[in-house]
Amino acid sequence: MKNIIKRLKKAPWSYKQPLTKKPSNIGIPVSDLFVWRCCEDWNTFFELTDIAGLFDDDIEIKDQFAEICFYDQKGSLFHEEKLQIQRHKKITIDISNFTIATKSNYGTFCIFHSHTPDKLTKLGSFLTERGYLSFTYKNAPLRSFVHGNLDAIGQLHDGERQLLGTKSFLSRSYSLQHQLIGPAIYEIGIVNPTPSAINLSCSLISTDNEVVDIQNTTIQPRGLSIFPILTERPQASRIVIKSHLVMARPLVFRIHNNNIDVFHG
Amino acid sequence: MSYYPILSAPNCKGWTTLCNFPPNNWEASENAKKYVNVSWADDGNWHTRNIGTIASNGFRQIDIEEVENYVPKSTLPLLSMTLSTMPELSVTLPESETLTEVPAWRAALGLSTEQTSTSYQGEIDPFPAQASLLTFCPFLQPSTDISNHLIFLNIEKSPVVRTAHIDVYNPINPEIVLGTFEVRNNSATVINLDELGFKQEDFPMIMCKGMTGIPVYLSMLKDGSSMSLEHTHPPASLVIHGDRRSAQKILKTKWFSRVTES
């Protein structure tokens, strides 16, 4: 009985609201919507690897490629390109080489691998690029790594791209389980992997549980919002994100004395 | 049931910040004041000591100095938050109350030097003893000014010490073992990756046939002024939907057999 009640309570949050929809075509590649930041202070890198070849290296590597697609902060496509990949090696891609075509300083990108091994398709599975990107701040010699977060977008057989995020029926709160400690600048990045525009608020809450600040925005599909949070006070704080995203897990940038730490919630 | 380890690495101090509020508003969870405990495996038992409480909706940072007087250096301090007291001694890892599932209830697991700090959001659950590890490392930043380490985290229900070994390969030449390192259960084993001859374009493959765990990678400038900390996903994360467990098995079977044939 207890289990039934538990399931009934959970139903409004889970019925027809998966974190990631199943793509409309079988055997297509899937990718995260990775965050890129390229401007005077920031640069972004991606480690491109032959993830298909980890499962199946029978196909000729020269016939394989990765298609990289770039969107600006409003989710508009501004560049796409095919990249060669190398068998069992990694290529560190400097994202700033691709962002000259936009005036945006940040946005999202995705990577689709050309080859999905048959043995994965037979399992009903999709190869997904959820790999590793890194950031530098003010040309630092060390890159700060973070792994991908979502299975956000698929490339269908006809070349169309299908967003795989879903919108929640009810408003959801995501509380970042990280203590904001100043003095530091925090920048909270949220991506919209759904096909609908999403209204979102980011609240800064003190240890006395008082709302200190609220920032509101609307994020277009494939778009990115970055909320700056300045914690000059030593008082510990936390962040709550409210939206109709099924899971609004942010990418968090912490800047202190020109050093950065990057992680996701 | 999740625990929150305090990490360790050369020239760094570990710390963990617990939080006593759920990450979401859609799972029933309890954020009343909780006991904070540290557990560790030693002399064939799990030991647990209560180290105070954490307020409702509060944070609590525990540095390694707070526990190092009674947790042996060879073992991994595991923090937990519970509504009731935990047994001081047990022959199996105590059940820590399940808090949330999607996402899991996490803590900030961090490392600091005098100049900077880094962290990631994580938790650790006990792994089965009959398990293996296959992972590929994309984080190496080979440079004379940067040190690169793998921190292998493992906890199991049994406190009895056992060891296994991690082998490191270049997948282009899986017949050659580039390094072999002993790892222990219920520990954080730190492995220096800089002496294995990898270049920037290499994609190290890391295997352990006798144990599994969480591979966490730390890169830092040797002067301690900058750090990067992140973990890799398990191989099942390379696919979504369908039979992901079988997909992981395909990957492990392929690479373990290539190494065995060598």
Side-chain angles (χ1 to χ4, degrees):
Chain A
M1 185 66 177
K2 214 174 171 184
N3 269 341
I4 294 170
I5 294 170
K6 197 176 170 185
R7 274 194 225 169
L8 283 171
K9 279 186 179 177
K10 209 176 170 183
W13 302 101
S14 57
Y15 178 68
K16 293 209 180 229
Q17 297 159 87
L19 181 58
T20 304
K21 281 188 294 206
K22 207 165 185 178
S24 301
N25 300 158
I26 60 166
I28 61 157
V30 171
S31 171
D32 194 355
L33 277 167
F34 299 99
V35 168
W36 65 262
R37 303 185 71 168
C38 295
C39 59
E40 190 181 336
D41 286 341
W42 289 94
N43 202 5
T44 307
F45 301 84
F46 185 82
E47 308 301 311
L48 179 63
T49 58
D50 174 25
I51 57 171
L54 295 178
F55 291 93
D56 170 16
D57 46 18
D58 289 340
I59 186 169
E60 280 291 328
I61 190 66
K62 61 179 172 54
D63 296 330
Q64 284 181 252
F65 58 90
E67 187 164 358
I68 190 166
C69 314
F70 289 93
Y71 303 92
D72 65 18
Q73 65 199 80
K74 293 182 182 171
S76 298
L77 178 72
F78 66 84
H79 186 75
E80 49 191 344
E81 193 169 321
K82 287 183 180 165
L83 304 172
Q84 277 301 114
I85 49 180
Q86 293 186 23
R87 181 74 77 213
H88 305 324
K89 280 185 175 284
K90 73 177 169 76
I91 303 169
T92 300
I93 298 173
D94 182 345
I95 299 295
S96 66
N97 292 335
F98 303 94
T99 56
I100 301 163
T102 181
K103 289 181 184 169
S104 285
N105 288 332
Y106 55 84
T108 63
F109 69 96
C110 51
I111 293 185
F112 301 113
H113 289 262
S114 61
H115 172 61
T116 298
D118 288 339
K119 50 190 85 170
L120 293 184
T121 305
K122 284 176 186 163
L123 294 174
S125 297
F126 301 81
L127 189 70
T128 180
E129 179 58 89
R130 263 226 266 169
Y132 304 93
L133 65 161
S134 54
F135 297 90
T136 56
Y137 182 68
K138 294 191 189 291
N139 296 312
L142 186 82
R143 290 182 283 135
S144 188
F145 272 96
V146 66
H147 64 67
N149 214 3
L150 291 171
D151 305 294
I153 187 168
Q155 175 141 292
L156 301 178
H157 294 314
D158 62 3
E160 289 294 307
R161 284 152 202 160
Q162 180 187 15
L163 284 164
L164 303 176
T166 52
K167 205 170 168 179
S168 172
F169 299 145
L170 302 171
S171 175
R172 298 189 184 221
S173 293
Y174 180 91
S175 295
L176 180 65
Q177 292 178 305
H178 176 89
Q179 184 181 29
L180 305 183
I181 299 251
I185 299 169
Y186 282 85
E187 293 179 343
I188 311 296
I190 311 273
V191 171
N192 179 4
T194 78
S196 311
I198 293 283
N199 297 323
L200 187 140
S201 71
C202 181
S203 301
L204 178 64
I205 297 174
S206 72
T207 45
D208 301 324
N209 280 318
E210 286 180 10
V211 178
V212 175
D213 186 32
I214 302 179
Q215 298 180 57
N216 296 298
T217 193
T218 300
I219 312 177
Q220 298 301 320
R222 297 172 299 273
L224 167 68
S225 273
I226 295 184
F227 298 89
I229 295 175
L230 188 64
T231 54
E232 286 173 320
R233 302 175 300 280
Q235 181 185 17
S237 303
R238 61 190 179 96
I239 282 168
V240 178
I241 296 160
K242 285 189 181 164
S243 72
H244 282 259
L245 289 173
V246 168
M247 186 143 31
R249 285 177 75 177
L251 189 62
V252 181
F253 300 87
R254 183 179 188 266
I255 306 159
H256 173 64
N257 289 345
N258 286 342
N259 272 317
I260 60 167
D261 193 22
V262 187
F263 56 92
H264 66 74
Chain B
M1 49 170 192
S2 295
Y3 284 86
Y4 308 99
I6 304 179
L7 302 177
S8 58
N11 305 311
C12 302
K13 285 190 179 174
W15 51 269
T16 295
T17 302
L18 304 174
C19 65
N20 193 11
F21 53 86
N24 64 46
N25 67 332
W26 58 86
E27 286 185 82
S29 58
E30 181 60 73
N31 61 332
K33 183 175 166 181
K34 293 187 177 76
Y35 293 103
V36 174
N37 316 289
V38 61
S39 301
W40 68 96
D42 191 29
D43 63 39
N45 287 296
W46 279 104
H47 300 254
T48 297
R49 181 182 286 211
N50 173 253
I51 54 170
T53 58
I54 181 169
S56 173
N57 293 324
F59 291 99
R60 172 131 177 231
Q61 179 169 323
I62 294 104
D63 298 329
I64 189 64
E65 289 100 337
E66 198 173 332
V67 301
E68 62 186 358
N69 283 342
Y70 43 87
V71 177
K73 281 200 173 123
S74 58
T75 188
L76 182 61
L78 300 172
L79 301 172
S80 59
M81 296 181 290
T82 55
L83 291 168
S84 52
T85 55
M86 288 172 80
E88 287 185 2
L89 268 185
S90 54
V91 296
T92 188
L93 183 65
E95 294 273 337
S96 175
E97 291 131 14
T98 301
L99 299 173
T100 58
E101 292 176 5
V102 184
W105 192 302
R106 297 199 160 113
L109 311 181
L111 292 165
S112 292
T113 63
E114 282 181 8
Q115 301 162 69
T116 192
S117 66
T118 184
S119 69
Y120 76 95
Q121 299 290 106
E123 79 285 358
I124 189 166
D125 298 302
F127 293 99
Q130 301 297 321
S132 60
L133 172 80
L134 172 68
T135 187
F136 296 86
C137 168
F139 301 127
L140 272 191
Q141 300 186 58
S143 163
T144 51
D145 298 323
I146 296 173
S147 64
N148 297 275
H149 288 87
L150 161 65
I151 306 170
F152 176 72
L153 299 177
N154 167 280
I155 65 171
E156 296 173 347
K157 283 187 178 174
S158 170
V160 175
V161 172
R162 69 182 190 97
T163 60
H165 61 269
I166 272 181
D167 295 321
V168 184
Y169 303 85
N170 187 327
I172 288 190
N173 296 307
E175 64 274 9
I176 301 171
V177 182
L178 298 174
T180 296
F181 306 91
E182 185 178 272
V183 292
R184 269 176 58 140
N185 64 339
N186 304 317
S187 297
T189 307
V190 182
I191 296 169
N192 187 330
L193 298 173
D194 293 326
E195 288 150 18
L196 302 179
F198 287 114
K199 301 188 202 57
Q200 178 61 35
E201 64 271 21
D202 290 329
F203 194 32
M205 180 170 70
I206 292 160
M207 273 188 194
C208 183
K209 292 182 184 172
M211 196 179 287
T212 191
I214 299 176
V216 183
Y217 297 87
L218 172 69
S219 296
M220 58 190 273
L221 287 180
K222 287 178 180 173
D223 65 5
S225 62
S226 190
M227 304 163 82
S228 171
L229 185 70
E230 184 55 287
H231 66 90
T232 44
H233 290 302
S237 298
L238 292 170
V239 300
I240 187 170
H241 298 304
D243 187 354
R244 296 172 71 212
R245 200 180 166 122
S246 292
Q248 177 163 287
K249 200 173 173 188
I250 290 170
L251 206 59
K252 283 189 171 181
T253 302
K254 173 186 164 178
W255 289 101
F256 281 135
S257 66
R258 284 203 177 176
V259 164
T260 305
E261 283 165 1
S262 311

